[in-house]
Amino acid sequence: MQAQGLPTAFRGVAWRYTRRAAARNGRCPESGAVRTAGAAFKKWGSVHPSQRWATCTCAKASKPVAVVSAQEGPTVLVAEKLGSAGLEILEKFAVADTTYDLSPDELVAKISEYDAIIIRSGTQVTREVFEAANGRLKVVGRAGVGVDNVDLAAATEHGCLVVNAPTANTVAAAEHGIALLCALSRNVAQADASMKHGEWTRSKFIGTGIIGKTLAVMGFGKVGSEVARRAQGLGMVVIAHDPYASEEKARALGVKLVSFDEAIESADFFSLHMPLTPSTKNMFNDDVFGRMKKGARIVNVARGGVIDDQALKRALDDGHVAQAALDVFETEPPGNDHPLVTHPKVICTPHLGASTSEAQEGVAVEIVEAVVAALRGELVSTAINAPMVPPDVLVELQPYVSLAQGLGKAAVQLVGDTGVSDISICYSSPRGDDLDTRLLRAMVIKGILEEITTARVNLVNADLLAQNRGLRISEMTVRSEGRTILTSMSVAIGTASSKFSAAMDTASRIYVEGCVKDDVPWLDKIGTFDVDLAMYGYVLLVRQQDQPGIIAACAKVLGEANINISFMTVSRTGKGEDAIMAIGLDDEPTPEVSQDHCCFWCQQGRCLLDTMCMLRWASSSCDWLSESMLVHFLAY
Ligand SMILES: NC(=O)c1ccc[n+]([C@@H]2O[C@H](COP(=O)([O-])OP(=O)(O)OC[C@H]3O[C@@H](n4cnc5c(N)ncnc54)[C@H](O)[C@@H]3O)[C@@H](O)[C@H]2O)c1
Ligand SMILES: O=C(O)[C@H](O)COP(=O)(O)O
């Protein structure tokens, strides 16, 4: 095996080295040069760790001639194709083993040999993989945006840092979205297949023009906004739906932000660019397709799970949706018999959005730099489950960290169809202005952005990510009495509307306030209503006019849906006046259940519910504050 770029002195001879070998130097029998193998090692080309060989190319021999110790760099498994520019950087610092297409069992069997692994979307890094690593795996590097193929909780529990490359493939994905939109409108794939079968049937492939047609960009983030620019260049009228995007950003691009309903009912083409989250799962379903203009066309280069595949098939079969172009699938590969892969009105590509040479070189460099920095123990801005603070600080702040994240998560879920821009955070603390709020501020940002975007927030990137999203954050500290460092804190989002009108305070902001009780983050206030609930699991918020029987009606509905209530609090402005209920649920009611029962109440004419809004929190503990992770990396 010839290793490129080897120093002359080490050419031609295979040097066997081990971590424990006594000798510190190697001597090339040809050139006689002596080098500390460790120093030379860092400059060597790729070395195959399973053989523990570094090959020298100045002589012909390729067998062990000396045992030298090598201050080995870390060993990194490159499990999916990585751009050469990134590989070259990696091989200067580590032993890079490029072994692609490992089966899950093969990955589990090998992973304990490596300090880091670099993947794309095709490798599932499961809990089993982390367990098999026996604590050696320090970094998972995702050469792309989505990390839905990595068990983040297991990574954190095993002290493994996950980093990604969130920007380098954005343009590639946007270009692919546009390519699919154009191919769709002119039946390019079907026409090509027809000609390859020896046909010349021009009349069969009459397309539809795109100039002047309305494109709805669903998810106006990095990729969505790049698609919008390009579509405008093609003469399309571009609207966007993104409840969390800033008006300023949309205005700057000449794009009109619209409500979900308006987008669905007015667009000719749809380009999907939202992340797969609990609120976007199966977002495009029978009801949504049914409300689209007849002949609508769908392009999905986001994530397969945002479309209900069976619903799309039904819409294509009945002609309501004219065509679809899919680059992503809920399960990948989707299988040859997948109903949409075989459908004549659908064109498919095998998750190619990021597959340009430029994008892959870009993500390769981005991810290798992040992996190398992490292995060196440096803070990494694209870390997804990075530790935030030194262990001693974390012990004191942990409960408040969950409170801050939970308040951000709750507030953004209450946002209606308008943007998120002004965030006001207020801390009540005996420390007054001496309270160090950096961590709490970052956690609020995390709670907001990780609920709605693919971003992963840590102390390094929190403010930058917030700035990139156009968020304006203000903080205020009020001195309070008490023994704990934080008596309470509140998060207010300045926005024109809320999914739950009772969440608006007297200043027309979405307002949530909480505290910590027995180390558990606790929600005390929503809007102007006092509540009293622990911030975990699923909470059903309902608003009604205070009257006998409404509580029982709610309980009856949930009981009939076999959903157990863990707690229930009621708050009202006065007897017979406005009231809200916060109902803790042991299980997540499926949308159909809550939708039906909402209608059920309406049918009975007793529906006094202004809005049914589902709040959900992840587990009460933060999913990435593991204090020892960066200490491990000091080894290199
Ligand atoms: N096919 C590919 O190869 C490829 C390449 C890159 C990215 N992607 C995927 O595309 C998606 C977008 O990537 P990105 O980098 O633009 O992410 P991003 O985080 O920059 O943008 C996502 C946008 O979706 C918005 N959003 C969240 N929930 C929404 C909802 N319910 N309705 C409407 N908008 C909502 C967010 O506010 C955000 O602006 C991700 O899922 C990513 O994994 C796929
Ligand atoms: O999330 C992403 O970055 C894209 O889906 C690209 O995935 P890939 O790296 O497997 O092409």
Side-chain angles (χ1 to χ4, degrees), residues 133-250:
N134 295 324
R136 178 171 174 182
L137 190 67
K138 303 291 184 305
V139 190
V140 173
R142 167 43 168 128
V145 178
V147 289
D148 31 304
N149 50 323
V150 180
D151 186 331
L152 292 177
T156 302
E157 288 166 25
H158 288 79
C160 181
L161 189 68
V162 179
V163 295
N164 74 342
T167 59
N169 66 20
T170 296
V171 168
E175 290 175 347
H176 194 59
I178 292 291
L180 288 177
L181 185 149
C182 294
L184 194 66
S185 66
R186 303 303 297 274
N187 302 303
V188 170
Q190 290 85 347
D192 172 66
S194 164
M195 286 197 67
K196 283 181 168 60
H197 283 92
E199 299 166 3
W200 183 258
T201 53
R202 299 170 66 200
S203 59
K204 191 176 166 188
F205 301 110
I206 300 293
T208 183
I210 59 176
I211 189 168
K213 297 286 174 60
T214 298
L215 170 70
V217 173
M218 308 301 280
F220 196 58
K222 299 191 296 293
V223 178
S225 50
E226 290 298 333
V227 165
R229 293 173 201 269
R230 287 156 177 77
Q232 288 170 327
L234 292 168
M236 298 190 87
V237 174
V238 181
I239 58 178
H241 169 68
D242 185 333
Y244 316 100
S246 71
E247 286 287 348
E248 292 83 351
K249 173 182 171 185

Side-chain angles (χ1 to χ4, degrees), residues 243-487:
Y244 316 100
S246 71
E247 286 287 348
E248 292 83 351
K249 173 182 171 185
R251 197 177 303 119
L253 288 178
V255 172
K256 183 185 175 194
L257 280 179
V258 299
S259 69
F260 183 78
D261 292 344
E262 185 178 345
I264 291 301
E265 291 157 11
S266 60
D268 305 300
F269 287 81
F270 295 87
S271 193
L272 312 188
H273 302 287
M274 72 280 285
L276 180 57
T277 64
S279 60
T280 63
K281 175 98 173 90
N282 286 344
M283 173 178 251
F284 290 82
N285 51 41
D286 287 308
D287 168 59
V288 169
F289 291 127
R291 287 194 282 138
M292 289 179 176
K293 287 162 72 170
K294 183 166 176 53
R297 290 171 167 84
I298 319 282
V299 177
N300 186 11
V301 294
R303 277 294 180 269
V306 301
I307 292 179
D308 176 338
D309 289 349
Q310 294 307 323
L312 176 56
K313 182 180 183 307
R314 286 188 286 269
L316 288 162
D317 289 345
D318 71 23
H320 199 75
V321 171
Q323 294 172 292
L326 309 174
D327 180 53
V328 285
F329 301 85
E330 188 158 12
T331 303
E332 295 184 354
N336 303 331
D337 58 349
H338 189 288
L340 294 177
V341 172
T342 56
H343 202 287
K345 295 181 180 179
V346 178
I347 60 174
C348 300
T349 50
H351 202 144
L352 296 180
S355 297
T356 64
S357 50
E358 295 85 355
Q360 286 310 308
E361 290 303 305
V363 294
V365 171
E366 197 173 356
I367 200 59
V368 164
E369 288 175 347
V371 168
V372 167
L375 287 172
R376 284 185 172 136
E378 298 162 7
L379 268 181
V380 181
S381 65
T382 61
I384 285 174
N385 61 342
M388 180 85 98
V389 288
D392 55 332
V393 176
L394 183 68
V395 168
E396 184 188 34
L397 279 178
Q398 175 67 55
Y400 303 97
V401 159
S402 302
L403 171 65
Q405 182 179 0
L407 289 173
K409 199 176 182 72
V412 77
Q413 290 176 64
L414 294 163
V415 169
D417 253 345
T418 51
V420 175
S421 53
D422 295 300
I423 314 287
S424 307
I425 308 171
C426 181
Y427 314 93
S428 298
S429 167
R431 297 186 186 172
D433 290 338
D434 295 335
L435 179 70
D436 179 347
T437 63
R438 285 178 310 140
L439 175 58
L440 299 175
R441 170 195 175 99
M443 291 307 295
V444 170
I445 295 170
K446 175 182 175 69
I448 292 172
L449 289 186
E450 290 193 359
E451 182 63 22
I452 61 173
T453 72
T454 55
R456 288 294 187 276
V457 179
N458 60 52
L459 191 57
V460 177
N461 63 18
D463 280 328
L464 176 63
L465 290 174
Q467 182 185 334
N468 291 347
R469 293 283 307 178
L471 300 185
R472 291 186 293 270
I473 298 172
S474 61
E475 295 176 280
M476 182 174 76
T477 304
V478 174
R479 187 174 293 280
S480 62
E481 298 303 318
R483 292 190 311 279
T484 56
I485 59 170
L486 198 66
T487 311

